[in-house]
Amino acid sequence: MAIDFGRWRGPIVVAGFLLAAYALMVVSAGAQAQDQFINALTIGAVYALIALGYTMVYGIIELINFAHGEIFMCGSFVSWWLLTTLGFTGAIGDPLVLGGVLVLTFITAMVVMGIVGVVIERVAYRPLRNAPRLAPLITAIGMSFILQNIVFVTISNSIVTIPQILPNTALTFGPIAIRQINLFVIVLALGLMVALQVFVRRTTLGRAMRSTAMDREAAQLMGVDINSTIALTFFIGSALAGAAGVVQGLYFGVTHFQIGFQAGLKAFTAAVLGGIGNTTGAAIGGFVIGFIEVLASSFGYGRWSEAAVFGTLILVLIFRPTGILGQQLADRA
Amino acid sequence: MRFTKLAVFGMGAVIAFGACSGAASPGASGGGGIAVKIGIELPMTGGEAPNGVPTANGVQLAVQDIQVPGFTVTISQQDDAVNGKHDATQGAKNMSTLVNDSQVLFVVGPYNSSVAQAEIPVSNAAGLMQCSPANTAVQLTKPWGSAKPTDLRKTNPDKIAYVRVATTDDNQGSGMADIAYNTIGAKSVYVLDDTQTYGKGLADAFTNTFTKFGGTLLKRDGVSDKTTDFTSYVTTAKGLNPAVVAYGGVTTSGLGLFRKQMAAQGLQTIPFVGGDGIVDGSFATASSFLQIAGDGDTNSYGTVAAIHDIPDAAAFATKYKAKFNTDPGSYSAPGYACTQIFLQALKAVGSGVTDLGQLREKIRAYVADSGNKYDTVLGSFNFDKDGDTSQHVISYYKFDPTKKDWAYFKQRDFTADPVK
């Protein structure tokens, strides 16, 4: 999970990318460029939140956790369950109640999905930690189906409506008009990403995670509890996916037991695009995919959106096989 | 390499959950005689239940109502929904199951055109007649663009084993265009489709007629049927500011969600027109277009590729309600009519025939013969040489905000009143 690129190179590249994307949106969408830019940032933020979990898990145990998309899906169902149980049907007008319910929903979904992530790791991955690499990959696919199956048998196998508790109001900051929900999603996602960076870089537990990712045996010799560090990684990654699940409900107002596959695929692509194992890369990858999708639609080639996303992935990987931020991959990968 | 794994993973999903349903359920025909079956091949579960269940009920009702001396007719019920969504592979599998059951002489279904594309080769090879109550994609029976129906009938190109009582999407698309241009008075349109067989064909047909009327196509695009994010398309609509948005597709492809996101961006005043893929029940029906669209559904219009003013609508509705304790769905009467066709054929060619294989072929030949007329709950009609009904009526619906349901307002017979 190391981040080592030139101090200013990163920000310059990001700013350049955003400017280029905005210019393309002006070309394709004209007066709607700003709206399209916000659409892209919002969906990109969702992909980025999910991608973080993929990349963290890969960084620490070199496992593609295929069940991760389903964690996102289950998170959306947790928010559905909580909000409908509390009796909400639509927007909450009182800002205090709204704030309280939002905090409660996010904490519940993040904690529940964090625990589910830890349990999955304990049950399906830890026993196979020293097994051939294909084995945990298969158990991951297995867990993914089990989670889907549980949801579609016990809850619903069709589209489920989630109450959208954020009022649909537009805010204006000078020349920028943005809907409250979009601002909320973008700020929340960026906040969680910054919090993750601070945690990984500045805390003892974060240092334990980084050292485990670098060299598990050496970390163990230095007194790091490998099992609980890996469990912690799963907790954090799954909690972020749980938060993305809540965002799905707030933003789109619907969920379905199969949304995890598509979203997981995109987020996994984002992680690979950014440089798998690298948290900043995963976040960047998520936004890049968001922008490609929205640009495809903005130019009137929505039909080609998947081809555009995966075509970009192929191009990036041809020229930078380790992804945008090009982390040195462990030789076991 | 990762993606190869993912592709395998996706196929695994289909296989893993593909194995469901298939038991024969008893129909209600009493008396003795030769035991024969009518197959029902419809999507019955999940988001598709509002489509398949009322249609299958129509078949059940007909089997109960009409007796054919010398035969006991029971139903073999199949479900082509996999994880709550219609699935072409499952449909073809179900069709093979029905083909391999020698007692099955006729099949009612499927509901979705993409499923029909996978089933027609199977029923054609076996010579088992199927009657779809709801399929509307043109290329299933007539050439459309580069697609030819004979591509689906490779085994017996000249033997028709597929007929339908619903009219085709060229008419349905014209109906949508009629609503957009004449009812709403819209002169400009933004057209989307869900990239599937039905959705794209319908959107193409809509565009043809709408521009023929003199309307302007502002933009045409397709959206994956697997996404939940339509925000960028809605923003595009905002920029185009069309007088109407037309969308070819079904609720499970996300049309309700698109409409909901239109409302979220303040575009609920722009009318929305869809085909029979969105006329799937009231606001109270779980997972229906209207329920998902929520506050955005005012100003939504839809069509149904079937006659609404059936000759004895009230009597049919009463009979249906007495048995199922709910109002008939859009395709309940067509399901009933398909069954009437089978029973009429059985009556006409069945007497004295004891060999089931021979009987199956005789029924196929009878229904394929365009000279035979049928007096059904939909009115009287015959099939042309391609298996298309001579009845070309499209019914128009508009969302009624007080009843929170689709309200029928008009039907147009495209035989008597074609698009000029």
Side-chain angles (χ1 to χ4, degrees):
Chain A
M1 260 174 278
I3 297 125
D4 43 12
F5 53 96
R7 199 179 166 80
W8 293 107
R9 211 175 117 218
I12 291 167
V13 170
V14 169
F17 172 79
L18 291 177
L19 268 176
Y22 192 77
L24 285 172
M25 279 168 179
V26 171
V27 171
S28 61
Q32 263 58 52
Q34 199 187 78
D35 283 5
Q36 294 290 33
F37 194 78
I38 291 166
N39 289 339
L41 277 181
T42 315
I43 191 68
V46 176
Y47 290 148
L49 279 180
I50 308 171
L52 286 172
Y54 271 108
T55 222
M56 287 171 73
V57 165
Y58 187 87
I60 205 153
I61 55 171
E62 277 123 37
L63 165 76
I64 306 294
N65 180 12
F66 273 111
H68 193 64
E70 315 312 330
I71 299 277
F72 156 73
M73 177 273 291
C74 292
S76 69
F77 274 95
V78 170
S79 80
W80 163 81
W81 170 81
L82 187 72
L83 293 173
T84 46
T85 310
L86 292 175
F88 293 109
T89 51
I92 301 173
D94 186 336
L96 273 180
V97 179
L98 176 65
V101 173
L102 279 177
V103 170
L104 179 70
T105 314
F106 273 99
I107 289 183
T108 311
M110 290 173 76
V111 170
V112 170
M113 293 334 296
I115 292 170
V116 170
V118 170
V119 170
I120 290 175
E121 192 274 330
R122 182 68 192 85
V123 172
Y125 305 149
R126 193 185 295 181
L128 297 170
R129 202 174 287 160
N130 298 313
R133 301 187 54 75
L134 205 52
L137 186 78
I138 297 299
T139 54
I141 293 172
M143 284 315 300
S144 151
F145 278 118
I146 289 169
L147 290 175
Q148 281 194 24
N149 212 329
I150 289 172
V151 170
F152 99 69
V153 172
T154 59
I155 301 175
S156 169
N157 60 0
S158 58
I159 300 173
V160 169
T161 314
I162 302 177
Q164 286 177 293
I165 58 171
L166 264 180
N168 184 27
T169 31
L171 309 170
T172 27
F173 305 93
I176 302 164
I178 183 167
R179 283 196 295 139
Q180 194 169 295
I181 175 74
N182 296 74
L183 184 66
F184 177 81
V185 173
I186 295 164
V187 170
L188 176 90
L190 291 177
L192 287 173
M193 286 170 208
V194 169
L196 177 70
Q197 288 298 340
V198 171
F199 178 83
V200 170
R201 289 194 196 187
R202 300 281 155 85
T203 65
T204 320
L205 285 171
R207 195 189 304 153
M209 281 166 66
R210 280 182 292 143
S211 52
T212 307
M214 272 180 223
D215 188 330
R216 202 186 294 162
E217 278 78 25
Q220 198 158 20
L221 289 172
M222 291 298 160
V224 174
D225 182 345
I226 300 297
N227 282 341
S228 56
T229 304
I230 292 175
L232 178 71
T233 307
F234 269 87
F235 184 88
I236 296 173
S238 303
L240 291 173
V246 179
V247 167
Q248 161 83 21
L250 290 175
Y251 189 37
F252 298 125
V254 292
T255 186
H256 183 265
F257 79 95
Q258 276 179 319
I259 60 166
F261 179 71
Q262 191 78 0
L265 186 59
K266 294 269 171 65
F268 169 60
T269 311
V272 175
L273 193 62
I276 191 141
N278 184 319
T279 47
T280 312
I284 291 174
F287 285 111
V288 168
I289 290 186
F291 274 100
I292 297 170
E293 276 189 358
V294 171
L295 276 171
S297 131
S298 173
F299 272 101
Y301 291 95
R303 245 177 252 292
W304 292 93
S305 120
E306 316 252 295
V309 167
F310 290 100
T312 309
L313 176 76
I314 291 169
L315 275 180
V316 169
L317 291 186
I318 286 172
F319 293 106
R320 290 185 71 93
T322 52
I324 295 171
L325 291 192
Q327 194 216 17
Q328 289 292 318
L329 294 183
D331 45 14
R332 269 190 294 168
Chain B
M1 188 189 81
R2 303 287 180 212
F3 301 107
T4 322
K5 279 174 189 160
L6 279 170
V8 172
F9 177 28
M11 282 172 65
V14 172
I15 295 160
F17 292 124
C20 49
S21 86
S25 68
S29 285
I34 303 169
V36 297
K37 288 182 197 161
I38 179 169
I40 300 181
E41 209 302 291
L42 294 166
M44 302 295 288
T45 46
E48 303 277 3
N51 301 331
V53 173
T55 315
N57 285 348
V59 179
Q60 277 193 30
L61 196 60
V63 168
Q64 176 192 287
D65 279 355
I66 306 161
Q67 315 296 326
V68 179
F71 293 95
T72 309
V73 180
T74 56
I75 291 169
S76 173
Q77 172 77 58
Q78 307 289 327
D79 176 7
D80 64 48
V82 175
N83 298 339
K85 204 167 172 178
H86 64 270
D87 183 277
T89 316
Q90 184 61 38
K93 226 186 274 177
N94 290 346
M95 190 48 82
S96 301
T97 308
L98 292 167
V99 162
N100 291 332
D101 181 347
S102 63
Q103 288 186 320
V104 174
L105 302 181
F106 190 88
V107 176
V108 178
Y111 193 88
N112 303 86
S113 297
S114 54
V115 180
Q117 267 185 323
E119 288 181 0
I120 291 173
V122 183
S123 59
N124 175 259
L128 173 61
M129 178 56 83
Q130 67 178 125
C131 172
S132 171
N135 288 163
T136 51
V138 180
Q139 68 268 37
L140 299 176
T141 48
K142 290 195 167 61
W144 180 251
S146 59
K148 289 190 298 290
T150 39
D151 293 345
L152 299 174
R153 301 197 296 263
K154 287 232 159 73
T155 322
N156 302 302
D158 302 325
K159 264 190 185 175
I160 299 291
Y162 168 89
V163 296
R164 51 174 155 192
V165 297
T167 188
T168 43
D169 282 335
D170 45 351
N171 291 322
Q172 180 162 222
S174 294
M176 283 168 63
D178 189 17
I179 293 178
Y181 195 84
N182 297 318
T183 308
I184 301 170
K187 303 285 180 273
S188 62
V189 67
Y190 177 32
V191 182
L192 290 167
D193 66 68
D194 66 358
T195 72
Q196 304 295 297
T197 311
Y198 160 82
K200 186 167 182 303
L202 188 60
D204 287 342
F206 169 89
T207 309
N208 283 345
T209 310
F210 190 79
T211 46
K212 203 186 270 177
F213 282 145
T216 314
L217 174 68
L218 298 176
K219 197 163 194 168
R220 174 74 205 273
D221 203 356
V223 192
S224 156
D225 63 330
K226 291 184 183 66
T227 187
T228 56
D229 180 22
F230 296 89
T231 51
S232 56
Y233 299 91
V234 172
T235 300
T236 301
K238 202 175 184 177
L240 296 170
N241 194 25
V244 64
V245 173
Y247 204 142
V250 294
T251 304
T252 46
S253 300
L255 272 70
L257 203 44
F258 177 84
R259 188 62 178 150
K260 185 189 183 107
Q261 290 174 21
M262 276 185 83
Q265 294 194 33
L267 302 185
Q268 63 268 60
T269 46
I270 299 181
F272 180 88
V273 183
D276 56 347
I278 66 168
V279 185
D280 55 359
S282 74
F283 188 78
T285 310
S287 313
S288 65
F289 172 82
L290 293 178
Q291 188 184 70
I292 295 165
D295 297 334
D297 51 18
T298 50
N299 246 336
S300 291
Y301 295 79
T303 53
V304 167
I307 180 167
H308 177 273
D309 293 331
I310 60 174
D312 283 311
F316 181 74
T318 313
K319 202 159 59 175
Y320 186 95
K321 200 158 187 169
K323 184 164 167 69
F324 302 108
N325 200 26
T326 169
D327 290 323
S330 309
Y331 288 103
S332 297
Y336 192 99
C338 275
T339 316
Q340 283 180 302
I341 288 159
F342 164 58
L343 296 171
Q344 178 179 328
L346 185 61
K347 220 176 257 176
V349 300
S351 69
V353 187
T354 48
D355 181 275
L356 289 173
Q358 228 175 53
L359 193 51
R360 188 188 265 187
E361 171 56 23
K362 274 179 184 271
I363 285 171
R364 187 205 66 75
Y366 181 90
V367 178
D369 180 353
S370 56
N372 290 317
K373 262 197 164 337
Y374 307 92
D375 236 340
T376 73
V377 66
L378 299 177
S380 60
F381 56 84
N382 66 314
F383 293 114
D384 67 13
K385 60 174 181 33
D386 304 310
D388 274 326
T389 173
S390 58
Q391 201 173 46
H392 299 146
V393 183
I394 301 290
S395 309
Y396 300 172
Y397 291 78
K398 182 186 192 316
F399 174 68
D400 178 346
T402 48
K403 283 199 207 136
K404 289 187 176 256
D405 197 357
W406 292 104
Y408 163 80
F409 66 92
K410 195 178 155 183
Q411 70 181 29
R412 178 163 170 179
D413 185 337
F414 283 89
T415 314
D417 183 16
V419 175
K420 286 173 202 94

